[in-house]
Amino acid sequence: MNQSQKHIDRKRLVILGGGISGMGAAMLGAQKGYDVFLSDGGDLGSAFAKALQKHSITYESGGHSMEKILDASLVVKSPGIPDTAAMILKIKSEGIEVISEIEFASRFTEENIIAVTGANGKTTVTSLIDHILNVAELDHTTGGNIGKSFAQQVFEGESENRLLEVSSFQLDGITSFKPHIAIILNITPDHLDRYDYKFENYVASKMRITMNQDENDYLIYNIDDIAITDAIEKLDIKAQLIPFSMERELKTGACLLDNNIHINTHNSVFTMPTEKLSIKGKHNTANAMAASTASKLLQIRKETIRQSLTSFEGVEHRLENVLKINKVQYINDSKATNVNATYYALDTMEQPTVWIVGGVDKGNNYSELYSLVNRNVKAIVCLGEDNSKIVEAFGNCVEQMVETSSMEDAVRVAYKLAQAGDNVLLSPACASFDLFKNYEDRGRQFKNAVRGL
């Protein structure tokens, strides 16, 4: 038996990475009869270790045993491991299939998948659809790039609908993953360090969400986004195209008409005054369009959708009002890990703003923020191990710029710079991994520092 045939005939599943997606894939694999081995290069954590032991899954942490890994018939890798990693290249050279956790989970379900992607807004839209489905009492699970992994959902039992937030990293590892409703909100430069600093590679990754769809499926997309529309023109997309727009009137799809969201699908019209939306800002109107269109395709009652849009409370760490101290509003936008997300945040600021920015630069181009900084920002507080690019970009835009290296210092400096009526906005425009575990950790530290003033 040759090496490739051995991989096909055996059911030896290796999981690379012991995070939420890896744990879900490991438990699902064991449930489906695989001989599972999980390998994590870092510290697995006691809770994850206990879960693996409970399900009799063998594992290692603190390094990778290539001999055990190369004994796999199938490898599911963490989204955080790039395809260019030496270990992945070696595995593939041995003829072993390497896939993402969402691909693995999708092979064990025929259920209705609603998948949301985009450089920005995907958590808000996923959470808003989840809220609508809850109000409608529609059987579903929600997760993916947030909450429970797709594999964990499938492991736990059946559901009529699987609502998923999916990232480009997850989509890179799919071959047959096929959502019934796919949503692409926007594609702006992000994670370019992962894509050879080529925007077209990032666009191609996002568009993979529709690669397996057929004429019975739907692709909801932002027709105002040139990167998306250019990609659609070049690709042979089989799904039914449902556009949404903030800028033009559309006969089919979602648009703005006289300050109303107007959605026309299958000759059925839904309308909703934008002033009644619970989440504010142009970007959130677009998010509401996308979520409402998906809900309409799921045949949810119009009044249920309207009720949900007025009662949705938003997403933690996204333009989240924390406290007002001495008439200064402190706003946590730690989920804004790229320039475009921060653009939306700065665009919503109606008062003079002290802006806390910085972290791990991902190949950012800050030029699109210049006009907003000149208009809305009175002072900048840099927070990161290396603030040089931010200082260079905005040094001439504001009179006051202070560099800090901890959240406590950043908040204290912002407190001194702000006056009554101002905002203090944490909107990093960068990844968090220099000083924080993730954006949630950064947001929690911000809120704790504000509460400690």
Side-chain angles (χ1 to χ4, degrees):
M1 182 183 297
N2 61 36
Q3 184 80 347
S4 296
Q5 190 63 42
K6 182 187 79 168
H7 295 322
I8 293 171
D9 292 345
R10 297 173 66 249
K11 290 188 70 174
R12 167 76 168 171
L13 174 65
V14 169
I15 312 293
L16 296 179
I20 292 174
S21 66
M23 294 296 297
M27 289 188 288
L28 179 60
Q31 184 186 71
K32 299 303 178 182
Y34 281 88
D35 173 18
V36 182
F37 174 67
L38 186 145
S39 178
D40 193 296
D43 180 14
L44 191 58
S46 60
F48 284 165
K50 288 179 181 178
L52 292 171
Q53 292 164 8
K54 177 182 177 181
H55 294 278
S56 301
I57 296 170
T58 58
Y59 65 92
E60 66 178 353
S61 60
H64 299 292
S65 301
M66 287 306 297
E67 182 178 352
K68 294 180 179 180
I69 291 170
L70 294 177
D71 191 39
S73 57
L74 177 66
V75 170
V76 174
K77 76 174 183 69
S78 163
I81 303 174
D83 290 332
T84 54
M87 177 173 57
I88 301 302
L89 296 176
K90 175 62 176 174
I91 295 168
K92 289 182 176 180
S93 74
E94 295 290 326
I96 305 170
E97 186 181 16
V98 180
I99 60 175
S100 67
E101 168 263 328
I102 62 168
E103 170 64 26
F104 181 65
S106 72
R107 296 181 180 184
F108 300 100
T109 177
E110 297 293 329
E111 295 155 329
N112 199 38
I113 298 173
I114 306 103
V116 183
T117 197
N120 301 296
K122 54 186 178 291
T123 298
T124 297
V125 171
T126 304
S127 301
L128 180 50
I129 296 174
D130 174 66
H131 179 64
I132 296 170
L133 297 182
N134 283 331
V135 174
E137 298 183 350
L138 208 64
D139 183 33
H140 75 288
T141 61
T142 300
N145 197 44
I146 56 172
K148 290 182 179 179
S149 69
F150 187 18
Q152 178 76 25
Q153 295 175 36
V154 175
F155 167 80
E156 291 181 350
E158 297 180 354
S159 181
E160 291 181 14
N161 300 282
R162 305 292 192 181
L163 172 60
L164 303 171
E165 175 187 319
V166 294
S167 69
S168 59
F169 295 174
Q170 292 171 313
L171 292 169
D172 286 337
I174 67 169
T175 56
S176 59
F177 175 76
K178 179 180 179 291
H180 175 52
I181 299 175
I183 303 174
I184 306 180
L185 300 170
N186 45 64
I187 307 179
T188 58
D190 195 11
H191 302 297
L192 295 188
D193 50 338
R194 177 77 172 249
Y195 294 100
D196 296 327
Y197 294 94
K198 294 179 180 177
F199 182 51
E200 60 268 27
N201 293 352
Y202 181 57
V203 173
S205 176
K206 287 292 189 187
M207 297 305 298
R208 289 174 66 83
I209 196 172
T210 188
M211 63 185 268
N212 297 311
Q213 289 187 296
D214 59 37
E215 60 276 2
N216 297 313
D217 302 317
Y218 299 94
L219 175 62
I220 300 170
Y221 70 99
N222 183 353
I223 200 172
D224 301 331
D225 191 303
I226 296 174
I228 297 175
T229 54
D230 285 350
I232 286 175
E233 288 179 4
K234 296 173 184 176
L235 296 172
D236 180 23
I237 295 176
K238 305 266 191 319
Q240 299 177 52
L241 298 175
I242 310 291
F244 66 91
S245 175
M246 291 286 292
E247 299 175 1
R248 67 186 88 174
E249 183 176 342
L250 300 174
K251 291 184 178 180
T252 298
C255 62
L256 281 181
L257 289 178
D258 299 323
N259 296 316
N260 285 272
I261 291 176
H262 181 93
I263 304 175
N264 187 355
T265 58
H266 301 139
N267 296 316
S268 171
V269 175
F270 167 87
T271 60
M272 169 88 178
T274 56
E275 65 180 17
K276 293 188 177 180
L277 295 175
S278 62
I279 48 177
K280 305 302 180 183
K282 294 179 182 177
H283 62 295
N284 277 325
T285 299
N287 290 339
M289 282 183 183
S292 301
T293 303
S295 302
K296 196 166 178 292
L297 293 174
L298 291 170
Q299 299 184 336
I300 294 174
R301 293 178 62 250
K302 297 175 185 178
E303 188 53 41
T304 300
I305 299 174
R306 292 190 190 96
Q307 178 187 344
S308 303
L309 294 177
T310 60
S311 59
F312 179 61
E313 295 183 353
V315 176
E316 187 180 14
H317 307 300
R318 192 70 179 100
L319 288 172
E320 176 189 13
N321 288 332
V322 179
L323 280 178
K324 183 172 281 190
I325 301 173
N326 295 336
K327 297 184 180 179
V328 173
Q329 181 65 61
Y330 290 79
I331 303 168
N332 170 29
D333 193 45
S334 70
K335 201 175 188 307
T337 58
N338 58 56
V339 170
N340 194 243
T342 293
Y343 180 96
Y344 290 135
L346 291 175
D347 192 40
T348 65
M349 296 298 106
E350 297 180 352
Q351 307 299 329
T353 299
V354 177
W355 175 31
I356 302 175
V357 56
V360 179
D361 188 279
K362 297 184 287 186
N364 292 350
N365 178 358
Y366 296 104
S367 60
E368 66 181 89
L369 299 179
Y370 290 163
S371 61
L372 288 172
V373 172
N374 284 326
R375 186 179 77 203
N376 296 345
V377 175
K378 62 180 289 185
I380 290 176
V381 179
C382 302
L383 174 58
E385 290 184 352
D386 182 4
N387 300 311
S388 57
K389 193 170 178 181
I390 293 170
V391 172
E392 180 181 355
F394 301 108
N396 295 324
C397 294
V398 295
E399 292 184 5
Q400 293 177 298
M401 177 179 285
V402 181
E403 293 190 64
T404 61
S405 58
S406 74
M407 183 61 75
E408 292 77 11
D409 286 344
V411 170
R412 279 195 292 266
V413 169
Y415 176 81
K416 294 177 181 178
L417 294 173
Q419 297 176 321
D422 291 349
N423 294 322
V424 171
L425 170 69
L426 169 67
S427 190
C430 302
S432 56
F433 306 121
D434 56 344
L435 298 176
F436 310 98
K437 295 178 181 178
N438 46 45
Y439 75 81
E440 291 101 333
D441 178 43
R442 178 167 52 194
R444 284 191 293 268
Q445 289 199 32
F446 175 74
K447 290 191 282 189
N448 289 337
V450 170
R451 289 163 183 153
L453 288 172

